[in-house]
Amino acid sequence: MSRSALLQAAVASARLGLNHGATGNLSMRHDAGMLITPTAVPYERLAEGDLVLMALDGAVASGARRPSSEWRLHAGVYQRRADVNAIVHAHPRFATTLACLREDLPAVHYMIALAGGDRIRCSGYAPFGSAELSAAAVEALGDRQACLLANHGLVTVGGDLQLALRIALEVETVAEYWWRARAIGQPVLLTPAEIADARARFEDYS
Ligand SMILES: [Zn+2]
């Protein structure tokens, strides 16, 4: 059940244009550890047996493949955020372009509220796969559902995979609006009160 859910979400992340080739990685909390996508397997060739079950300290419990090189990032978030049961890491074009500028994504559209605040912070830079990157992501996330990784990509988290994936798609779309709006004019940002109102409406709606 868990394996099929993670496989479907991983394939969906590629189909939705959030990931390409073997970039990015997804995981879900599993007992005291996590189930995570493997390193270097393109999404179109991914099978349930390729998914890796591992402890949060890096010990692999089962799986013929090696886990994603970003397993520390996933483990670090699960250790710090009891509310998180699923993580999507991706390199989508617009969010990653903004991460290359090392800029936060501001409240140019109310859907940003889905990520839990009035801006999506960009972390400091750290090498891929490093414990430093894991710490930078945890700090940039805070208690929110998304952050950018400097010169790297996007991380979104949720209570389940569907929500983490939905947030990733919405953040990428807002990043595209931000890029397009800046290209033709001066975007007008929503106020913190307007974003708080949007968050309250989402809670009513769900
Ligand atoms: Zn990455």
Side-chain angles (χ1 to χ4, degrees), residues 174-188:
V174 174
E176 180 174 359
Y177 297 152
W178 179 231
W179 184 87
R180 291 186 183 281
R182 280 172 76 174
I184 60 167
Q186 189 67 40
V188 178

Side-chain angles (χ1 to χ4, degrees), residues 162-185:
Q162 279 188 321
L163 183 56
L165 199 57
R166 180 176 172 223
I167 293 170
L169 189 59
E170 292 298 348
V171 171
E172 170 63 355
T173 304
V174 174
E176 180 174 359
Y177 297 152
W178 179 231
W179 184 87
R180 291 186 183 281
R182 280 172 76 174
I184 60 167

Side-chain angles (χ1 to χ4, degrees), residues 56-71:
L56 299 184
D57 66 1
V60 172
S62 75
R65 301 274 185 186
R66 285 192 299 131
S68 160
S69 57
E70 293 297 3
W71 68 265

Side-chain angles (χ1 to χ4, degrees), residues 23-25 70 89-91 128 149 152-153:
T23 65
N25 29 77
E70 293 297 3
H89 167 52
H91 300 175
F128 76 89
L149 302 177
H152 185 152

Side-chain angles (χ1 to χ4, degrees), residues 91-102:
H91 300 175
R93 285 174 174 77
F94 291 96
T96 304
T97 299
L98 195 57
C100 290
L101 298 173
R102 300 198 187 181

